[in-house]
Amino acid sequence: MFGAPQGVRGEIRVKAFTADPKSIGGYGPLTDAKGAAAFALRVVRSLRDDMVVVRLEGIATREAAAALTGVELFARRAQLPPPDAEEFYYDDLVGLEAVTPEGVALGRVAAIVNHGAGDVLEIAPAAGGETLLLPFTRQVAPEIDFAGGRIVIKPPLEIDGEPSP
């Protein structure tokens, strides 16, 4: 995401969500949420933790950089490195059928969200109604079968209608 301008020559801060913040410049042109604009980033320097300062093609003034503040950046799937064995992108989970270990259908994974306390699976029931929100942990989601298009879910006791321990 673009942050505030840095200096007067069109440099701008970028919050990177990559393992190495400087690597954000190596993905090639990034897009905005609509995919309408493409931004070629050249990382100038690290600022702190997950922040870098970048230069953009066509942006040469502080005012032009300020106009981008708050714009989210996205890489296309083809720009991302393939996941290693036992790894996956969260987006790959969306659409998987969620089933219990006994094979009872719970619905489909609608999203994976994180509001600060950990990753949460959002499962939309097939019959409609309120989505089921479950912590995305190995205990709750012990098996992911991409080839079979499903994720096995062991709901915590308090979700399954039984009292918590």
Side-chain angles (χ1 to χ4, degrees), residues 15-97:
K15 180 177 175 80
F17 294 94
T18 55
D20 174 11
K22 288 184 185 178
S23 70
I24 195 168
Y27 287 101
L30 303 177
T31 66
D32 62 5
K34 295 178 183 175
F39 303 99
L41 310 179
R42 185 170 59 85
V43 175
V44 175
R45 65 185 172 280
S46 293
L47 191 59
R48 64 177 184 275
D49 300 327
D50 57 359
M51 297 287 289
V52 292
V53 175
V54 302
R55 286 187 192 265
L56 300 171
E57 291 179 16
I59 303 295
T61 66
R62 180 177 182 83
E63 292 74 25
L68 296 173
T69 299
V71 171
E72 291 181 298
L73 296 169
F74 297 88
R76 293 177 184 92
R77 180 59 183 259
Q79 293 172 283
L80 301 176
D84 290 332
E86 299 296 316
E87 288 184 337
F88 53 86
Y89 289 110
Y90 279 5
D91 194 51
D92 295 338
L93 299 174
V94 175
L96 292 181
E97 182 180 13

Side-chain angles (χ1 to χ4, degrees), residues 95-111:
L96 292 181
E97 182 180 13
V99 298
T100 66
E102 297 77 29
V104 176
L106 298 173
R108 293 209 174 266
V109 176

